[in-house]
Every structure is written in C-alpha cells, then in structure tokens.
Amino acid sequence: MTNFKHELGKLAKDQITLFEGIIVGRAEHLFGCQTYGLAPQSYDKEKGKRGDTEWFDEGRLIIIGEGIKAEEVKTEVNGCDYRDHP
C-alpha cells in the first residue's frame, strides 16, 4: 500500500510553475514516483470551460490551504467526469 504525503481535497501549489489547485487525484507509478492531479479553481470565460487538471510530482507540491472535503461534494451516485482515468 502506498503512503501518499498529501491528502485529497487540499489546496496545493507547485513550487516550480506556481500552478495552484485542489488535489483531485493521486497516482503511483511503476518506478516509484507519486504524482498528484491539481484542478484549478478557475473558469475561463473566453473558452467557456474550466481550467485543465495538471499533474505534478509529490516533492514539487506544498499545501497552501484546507481546500475542500470529499463529503462536501459527494452525491448519492458518485461519478467522474474523467472517464479515461481510473
């Protein structure tokens, strides 16, 4: 079992690009690295869509806020809008 350093739902920042977002996913890779998907808290009015989730190595991230708890967005029937991701 993998021990991830950061919790899902926390607000995090990549120390290199300064990209910020809510941790919405975590992945363990074959060669040992662990990455986190950050969903930005933004909406691009010109493109008419939300910003894309970006993935970063664990060591690049710092937690900058509490973010959101899973219970706050849970519904009766859970689903995922990323159908090509586990």
Side-chain angles (χ1 to χ4, degrees):
M1 174 144 187
T2 299
N3 291 320
F4 288 99
K5 180 178 179 180
H6 305 301
E7 294 178 43
L8 294 171
K10 297 292 185 185
L11 179 61
K13 177 191 250 183
D14 174 45
Q15 297 178 85
I16 297 171
T17 65
L18 305 181
F19 185 92
E20 295 181 11
I22 300 292
I23 299 174
V24 295
R26 300 182 292 204
E28 175 184 19
H29 298 267
L30 180 62
F31 298 104
C33 67
Q34 295 173 342
T35 59
Y36 293 77
L38 301 184
Q41 295 181 291
S42 63
Y43 182 80
D44 187 331
K45 290 181 182 179
E46 288 182 19
K47 293 181 182 177
K49 68 174 197 167
R50 63 179 162 74
D52 293 331
T53 297
E54 299 284 341
W55 288 82
F56 300 95
D57 286 336
E58 182 174 79
R60 291 174 54 166
L61 298 180
I62 56 171
I63 301 302
I64 59 172
E66 285 302 310
I68 191 166
K69 293 182 171 79
E71 299 82 37
E72 295 178 60
V73 294
K74 189 171 181 148
T75 63
E76 194 172 308
V77 178
N78 285 322
C80 183
D81 63 349
Y82 301 107
R83 296 292 177 207
D84 59 338
H85 297 288

